[in-house]
Amino acid sequence: MIRLENISKYYYSGNNVVLALRKIDIEFRKGEFIAITGKSGSGKSTLLNVLSGLDTYEDGKMFVNGVDVSHYTVKELEVYRKQYIGFVFQDYNIIDSYTVYQNIELALIIQGYDKSKRRARVLELIEQVGLSHVKNQKASKCSGGEKQRTVIARALAKDCSVIVCDEPTGNLDVESSKRILELLHNISSDKLVIVVTHNYEELKEFATRKLRLHDGDIIEDKIEKKNVKLEDTFKELTPYKTNLTDILKIAFINIKSMPKKAFFSGLIISLMLLSFVFAFGLNLKEKNTSLIDKTPYFENANQSRLIVTKRDDSVFTSEELDSFENIKYVRGVVNYDLVFDSTYINATYNNEYGLNEFFEYKILPSLSLNNFDLLRGRLPESKLEVVIGENDLYDIDDYISVSNEFIINKIEATVTDQFTYKIVGVIKQDLSIEEAKNELYLTIEALDEMRYSAFAENSQKLLVIDDKAMYAIVEDIRIDNSLEDFEVLGYDMMLFDMCRDFGYRKEVIDDFDAGLCPKEWFLPNHDFGINVFTRYESLNDPYDIVLETIALYPHIYGQGVYVNEYTYNQLFDDEIYQPSLIVYDMFEAKQVKEELEEMGYNVFYPTGVIDEDDALEIIIRNLQLSLTLGLTVLVVYFVGYFVMRNVVVSKRKDYLIYRSVGASKKTISNVLVIEMFYLTVISFIVVMSILVINENINSVIPRLLRYFSVYNYFVILLLINLLMLLMSKNFNAKIFNKSVISSLKAE
Ligand code: ADP
Ligand code: MG
């Protein structure tokens, strides 16, 4: 029995006080079918809300089953509602995205209805309200009458003693209204059914009692049917704590029933996840990137370059070189890696001063670049194309000429080649590195073509006299194609040195101007050969060379000799003593280095040389990276939060319905958490799968997964889940910041 004693309720709006209920005294019993009528604003809804625990009141007392519930807190009232009350409102309050079946099932899940009997019970209720034909239809597609019947079935599912209906037929046509009221009448035999209506006529044939309100007063209380069996005690439902399986199930239904919202949310989470993976991956990548670009041994150390030699310093066979290509992460083999240790020069005319300026370029392999390293343009496809480090002088489609010598007035006899390339791409140059030179990224074919000029720069050239017994160091070997094969043109000082070293005519030699050691004396008495060996070669056999003429070349500084081009090329041994393997970065270099060492080679990784000054730099860099990472997480979280908030708020009504069906805050909060968890896990799988695919193609997206260990994946998954948990908790606070009734009213 519900008894109201002297209940008064006021509403305050501005300075006005509205008396919505005026000292109401009334009792309700099980078995009654009560119609509450009255004009609009007479207090019908207020009365209903008060007795069903949705609203508080200022004066009076209320008893339920003899218990005084007048001083119940909001929380206690929630329990009260769960124990006794089922609601049917004018605007259906069902979850539009659910099917009829799911709407009813939800009520059973939330009240903890025996799982094995659940399905049968749902079908039974659907049958009872006559909705079998639409049971699997989405509620949004149902007619008003069907929706209202679903709500009634849901109220019945709860098996509560009191069913309150506020204008349940307000939005329905006459035919549907009649069916709804019949239905309510049918179930009223062992319940208390209270129906608010502004049209008593339609209820007349069912009501056992009629109340009429006017200005918050009951002005009529009339028993319409006498021979009804009334009972004083209401059955009390034991509140049920929804278990994890149920929550998992509800969350699953939610995601399935709103594929678009789920997809959108998944997309947001995926983007958040991507940002984390990128921030994290770039962080790891940076840590795998060398800061050092200079070593004492190599002019152009580059993190893509691994230098290999044999333990016995012998020549590499072509099989060996081929086998390197098959090592994981090896992108290519540069046979003549001396080009990396040469600096090439580009001379430019300065318009302002009318002078030539010289810029030094270091030569690097274009194989070490990925598309995503490019600021613009593309990678070189032929040996005449080049990618440059960004600078003010050149850009895409310009031609750039470089040479391994300063060519001012190009001497026709110089051996130096000038190479001209078309710029097809630009990369960001790391100017943080001290003394960074401009960069030129060339194809392997172009590097191959440069080899002789690189050899010339990086080799010892000796003029050998009498089978290595004596030699003179030659600074430059230049080309003069008018010479015969293996003919050499020397210079006067060279002969002077040789004569002196061989002890000819000391007195003459000491007085240089007095006359040279005559070539007629010297040349016929000795064998001459030229011996050239690059930095990594051991001395090889000299060629027999006829030193034909000794002459003075006034325009050449230094000690140079001339040969023709054929002879020149013969001087350089094409055999490979030291190739460079091209990888992408330090991370790959480490793996390849290990493998090569296992294969029995000497490997030198120039950028792996770290001294103590750099160690501090590395600590500072790691600190910066961690800060950036932290900041990214923060920014991404807030952006994600504001986008996701709209999605969650758009589902607010659904969460409220859970509450009106009897779900506790905790349950709803958990449902939301689990929904997010599902989406997060799915997003994680999708994002990672895409990245794994990306890892195996050369796209513009950097490959970062390689840096991830299992532990890193775990950290990311944990991080995103923690953030989503935090987000869900915040959203829950948003959903619950108003009472059920005011929230429902607002909806
Ligand atoms: P009915 O359902 O019979 O139309 P209500 O119970 O909704 O009437 O309202 C009774 C009186 O209380 C009306 O005068 C109405 O304006 C007032 N009222 C109802 N709800 C509020 C509210 N939230 N704030 C202020 N006044 C309200
Ligand atoms: Mg009303």
Side-chain angles (χ1 to χ4, degrees):
M1 181 166 70
I2 299 179
R3 193 168 84 232
L4 308 186
E5 276 181 18
N6 263 325
I7 296 269
S8 293
K9 163 129 190 107
Y10 312 91
Y11 284 116
Y12 303 91
S13 48
N15 289 331
N16 297 332
V17 179
V18 179
L19 191 60
L21 293 178
R22 200 186 298 254
K23 293 188 188 277
I24 299 288
D25 273 307
I26 198 158
E27 284 179 5
F28 302 105
R29 287 187 174 76
K30 202 156 131 185
E32 289 187 294
F33 188 107
I34 295 169
I36 300 180
T37 68
K39 280 189 233 140
S40 177
S42 58
K44 306 183 293 291
S45 298
T46 309
L47 178 61
L48 206 66
N49 292 342
V50 163
L51 68 87
S52 55
L54 282 177
D55 244 347
T56 53
Y57 42 89
E58 279 66 37
D59 261 340
K61 282 186 171 174
M62 184 162 117
F63 299 89
V64 177
N65 273 354
V67 178
D68 187 353
V69 302
S70 319
H71 305 293
Y72 271 20
T73 60
V74 172
K75 222 175 181 158
E76 286 166 324
L77 282 175
E78 193 170 328
V79 175
Y80 160 67
R81 288 198 300 270
K82 270 195 205 175
Q83 287 170 324
Y84 297 107
I85 317 285
F87 295 93
V88 179
F89 289 104
Q90 177 173 6
D91 352 277
Y92 325 113
N93 276 313
I94 68 178
I95 299 176
D96 284 331
S97 59
Y98 280 19
T99 61
V100 169
Y101 182 96
Q102 287 167 334
N103 264 290
I104 298 164
E105 186 188 25
L106 176 71
L108 289 178
I109 295 175
I110 283 174
Q111 61 166 296
Y113 196 85
D114 186 347
K115 214 169 171 181
S116 57
K117 296 184 201 145
R118 211 182 271 165
R119 187 174 164 77
R121 177 69 180 143
V122 175
L123 294 173
E124 189 186 357
L125 287 162
I126 289 177
E127 180 74 46
Q128 203 177 339
V129 298
L131 288 179
S132 298
H133 60 295
V134 287
K135 65 171 188 274
N136 290 323
Q137 188 170 304
K138 280 216 172 198
S140 56
K141 294 216 173 78
C142 288
S143 70
E146 286 165 348
K147 285 184 186 176
Q148 198 60 295
R149 277 187 278 166
T150 308
V151 174
I152 292 170
R154 198 178 62 193
L156 291 177
K158 203 175 154 188
D159 197 25
C160 45
S161 297
V162 185
I163 293 193
V164 298
C165 314
D166 196 347
E167 309 209 20
T169 60
N171 287 334
L172 300 180
D173 57 70
V174 180
E175 188 57 30
S176 313
S177 301
K178 200 168 151 60
R179 295 240 293 276
I180 294 296
L181 294 169
E182 255 168 19
L183 190 58
L184 288 171
H185 173 69
N186 291 344
I187 59 169
S188 68
S189 56
D190 65 339
K191 289 185 196 303
L192 163 63
V193 177
I194 306 174
V195 181
V196 165
T197 179
H198 56 271
N199 175 12
Y200 180 65
E201 284 308 304
E202 59 171 15
L203 260 172
K204 207 171 171 181
E205 57 174 307
F206 308 114
T208 65
R209 185 177 170 192
K210 176 190 177 190
L211 297 182
R212 182 195 294 280
L213 265 67
H214 182 74
D215 279 350
D217 254 346
I218 297 176
I219 55 164
E220 187 186 350
D221 182 356
K222 185 175 159 207
I223 305 294
E224 297 277 6
K225 291 195 179 73
K226 292 230 167 66
N227 49 352
V228 238
K229 191 173 147 263
L230 297 182
E231 271 180 66
D232 273 349
T233 323
F234 294 140
K235 192 175 75 184
E236 184 183 310
L237 295 174
T238 31
Y240 167 76
K241 205 168 152 283
T242 318
N243 66 28
L244 183 64
T245 342
D246 293 336
I247 288 170
L248 288 174
K249 168 147 191 172
I250 298 172
F252 181 71
I253 294 174
N254 283 356
I255 287 181
K256 221 176 72 178
S257 64
M258 289 199 184
K260 274 185 209 148
K261 274 182 188 164
F263 179 79
F264 184 69
S265 308
L267 202 68
I268 302 297
I269 298 174
S270 297
L271 289 176
M272 291 175 68
L273 200 55
L274 263 179
S275 334
F276 294 150
V277 172
F278 270 78
F280 205 53
L282 288 171
N283 193 312
L284 292 173
K285 177 178 185 256
E286 272 301 305
K287 285 181 181 165
N288 278 299
T289 304
S290 175
L291 273 179
I292 294 92
D293 207 40
K294 236 174 28 168
T295 78
Y297 319 108
F298 294 90
E299 191 125 338
N300 296 338
N302 179 274
Q303 62 166 344
S304 300
R305 178 184 178 196
L306 269 175
I307 298 161
V308 189
T309 58
K310 294 179 78 164
R311 295 217 166 130
D312 58 3
D313 280 334
S314 59
V315 173
F316 281 86
T317 64
S318 56
E319 289 79 38
E320 279 175 311
L321 294 167
D322 286 347
S323 75
F324 293 152
E325 307 256 6
N326 299 326
I327 298 173
K328 191 179 178 196
Y329 297 131
V330 171
R331 299 177 167 213
V333 178
V334 175
N335 292 336
Y336 306 102
D337 87 330
L338 274 176
V339 291
F340 297 139
D341 294 319
S342 311
T343 296
Y344 283 74
I345 292 149
N346 159 245
T348 313
Y349 188 76
N350 184 313
N351 284 325
E352 203 176 324
Y353 302 109
L355 294 170
N356 281 306
E357 291 181 306
F358 297 98
F359 296 94
E360 292 190 328
Y361 281 84
K362 66 177 182 181
I363 306 299
L364 295 164
S366 65
L367 273 182
S368 67
L369 296 179
N370 281 333
N371 287 331
F372 53 75
D373 292 318
L374 293 171
L375 280 180
R376 49 189 178 275
R378 56 171 173 83
L379 296 176
E381 279 157 13
S382 84
K383 64 178 184 182
L384 296 174
E385 294 178 341
V386 69
V387 164
I388 59 164
E390 191 178 34
N391 65 42
D392 302 336
L393 295 171
Y394 294 100
D395 208 339
I396 288 178
D397 289 339
D398 292 340
Y399 286 85
I400 182 167
S401 295
V402 289
S403 154
N404 69 331
E405 278 210 1
F406 292 87
I407 305 174
I408 304 171
N409 305 306
K410 196 177 181 220
I411 305 153
E412 38 78 42
T414 186
V415 75
T416 302
D417 286 322
Q418 180 153 2
F419 302 94
T420 301
Y421 304 102
K422 184 181 184 192
I423 297 167
V424 294
V426 174
I427 71 151
K428 183 121 202 95
Q429 211 160 260
D430 189 357
L431 297 171
S432 65
I433 293 164
E434 238 180 284
E435 292 171 36
K437 280 183 197 144
N438 297 303
E439 292 164 354
L440 279 187
Y441 290 85
L442 294 162
T443 59
I444 289 206
E445 297 77 55
L447 295 173
D448 255 5
E449 279 198 342
M450 279 185 155
R451 71 176 185 271
Y452 290 123
S453 60
F455 286 169
E457 196 179 326
N458 290 284
S459 55
Q460 279 268 31
K461 298 130 212 153
L462 302 179
L463 186 71
V464 180
I465 308 148
D466 288 343
D467 199 14
K468 299 176 202 167
M470 266 296 175
Y471 58 81
I473 293 171
V474 177
E475 255 179 26
D476 265 324
I477 301 177
R478 301 171 185 278
I479 305 261
D480 182 346
N481 280 328
S482 65
L483 297 171
E484 297 286 307
D485 291 352
F486 298 116
E487 252 181 14
V488 177
L489 212 58
Y491 59 95
D492 57 352
M493 279 304 285
M494 187 170 73
L495 193 61
F496 169 79
D497 285 345
M498 287 191 285
C499 282
R500 184 186 56 194
D501 291 344
F502 275 79
Y504 281 96
R505 293 278 305 269
K506 255 192 171 20
E507 68 283 7
V508 176
I509 294 161
D510 285 344
D511 182 6
F512 182 67
D513 290 334
L516 293 170
C517 161
K519 60 185 175 192
E520 303 78 50
W521 293 2
F522 192 74
L523 296 181
N525 295 319
H526 299 283
D527 293 327
F528 296 95
I530 286 189
N531 192 282
V532 178
F533 52 99
T534 54
R535 196 184 286 179
Y536 312 108
E537 287 171 61
S538 43
L539 244 92
N540 47 355
D541 292 332
Y543 290 95
D544 284 332
I545 284 181
V546 183
L547 194 60
E548 198 190 47
T549 323
I550 301 294
L552 185 76
Y553 294 102
H555 56 295
I556 295 172
Y557 306 98
Q559 303 176 318
V561 296
Y562 285 79
V563 296
N564 70 13
E565 206 166 332
Y566 174 78
T567 314
Y568 179 83
N569 288 346
Q570 294 304 310
L571 290 174
F572 294 102
D573 197 340
D574 264 355
E575 287 184 318
I576 294 151
Y577 294 88
Q578 180 188 284
S580 271
L581 304 194
I582 308 306
V583 294
Y584 182 60
D585 58 10
M586 208 164 167
F587 170 82
E588 293 185 346
K590 275 184 210 155
Q591 333 267 322
V592 175
K593 185 170 190 272
E594 262 171 40
E595 174 137 7
L596 283 167
E597 276 165 354
E598 233 164 72
M599 288 165 78
Y601 294 100
N602 283 329
V603 186
F604 186 71
Y605 185 50
T607 54
V609 185
I610 294 171
D611 62 32
E612 271 170 40
D613 288 348
D614 297 321
L616 180 69
E617 206 174 327
I618 286 168
I619 291 171
I620 292 170
R621 182 181 66 169
N622 287 350
L623 212 68
Q624 282 174 343
L625 290 174
S626 306
L627 273 175
T628 327
L629 187 63
L631 215 66
T632 313
V633 171
L634 219 68
V635 168
V636 168
Y637 174 78
F638 281 110
V639 172
Y641 177 86
F642 285 109
V643 181
M644 287 291 279
R645 194 178 63 173
N646 293 321
V647 178
V648 174
V649 165
S650 76
K651 285 168 57 171
R652 187 191 211 140
K653 190 184 157 213
D654 294 356
Y655 295 117
L656 284 169
I657 290 168
Y658 296 152
R659 257 180 110 181
S660 70
V661 170
S664 65
K665 274 188 189 184
K666 182 124 194 83
T667 301
I668 300 170
S669 155
N670 287 340
V671 166
L672 185 60
V673 167
I674 297 294
E675 271 181 53
M676 294 285 198
F677 175 72
Y678 282 152
L679 291 175
T680 307
V681 170
I682 295 169
S683 304
F684 185 81
I685 293 169
V686 171
V687 166
M688 289 306 171
S689 307
I690 292 172
L691 290 179
V692 165
I693 294 169
N694 179 62
E695 205 75 4
N696 296 302
I697 52 173
N698 187 12
S699 69
V700 290
I701 308 167
R703 288 173 227 175
L704 297 171
L705 288 194
R706 66 176 64 196
Y707 307 116
F708 283 65
S709 62
V710 178
Y711 163 78
N712 296 138
Y713 285 108
F714 183 73
V715 166
I716 289 215
L717 186 60
L718 197 73
L719 177 74
I720 187 89
N721 271 306
L722 276 177
L723 288 178
M724 294 319 289
L725 184 70
L726 188 69
M727 214 182 259
S728 316
K729 294 279 171 201
N730 275 321
F731 290 150
N732 274 312
K734 277 227 130 34
I735 295 171
F736 296 127
N737 61 1
K738 290 186 203 154
S739 72
V740 185
I741 187 66
S742 54
S743 301
L744 276 176
K745 277 178 184 165
E747 289 292 334

